Amino acid sequence: AKKKYPNKTAYYFLDQKISYLDLFENVKTLIYSLKKHGLKKGDVIAILYNNSLFYPQVFLAASKLNLIIAPLN
């Protein structure tokens, strides 16, 4: 979807939205950061964050790295 519809909305949260291109770039940056902190496949991360536009991006990045996600809300 990033290549075919880069400016289309990927998802909404309340009055905010994010495009596929921005979503891809944000997730790519998060993946880099998680790797830089030494996280690897099978590691467990807890996510304590308010529901927001950012929350699904953390899930996507963690999933891409095959991390185990423990959401706290």
Side-chain angles (χ1 to χ4, degrees):
K2 177 195 77 140
K3 289 181 183 179
K4 193 170 183 178
Y5 307 108
N7 297 316
K8 295 259 186 190
T9 300
Y11 64 91
Y12 294 89
F13 178 76
L14 300 177
D15 61 342
Q16 301 172 310
K17 62 183 177 179
I18 188 166
S19 71
Y20 284 105
L21 182 59
D22 289 340
L23 174 62
F24 175 81
E25 292 300 324
N26 292 352
V27 170
K28 187 170 75 171
T29 300
L30 284 166
I31 289 170
Y32 173 79
S33 181
L34 292 169
K35 283 182 178 180
K36 187 176 177 181
H37 282 88
L39 293 167
K40 60 190 178 314
K41 181 179 179 176
D43 286 346
V44 179
I45 63 166
I47 303 170
L48 177 59
Y49 204 78
N50 294 331
N51 292 334
S52 70
L53 196 66
F54 182 68
Y55 203 81
Q57 296 172 42
V58 176
F59 267 82
L60 290 170
S63 296
K64 187 73 175 170
L65 290 174
N66 293 309
L67 300 176
I68 299 166
I69 305 164
L72 309 170
N73 192 319

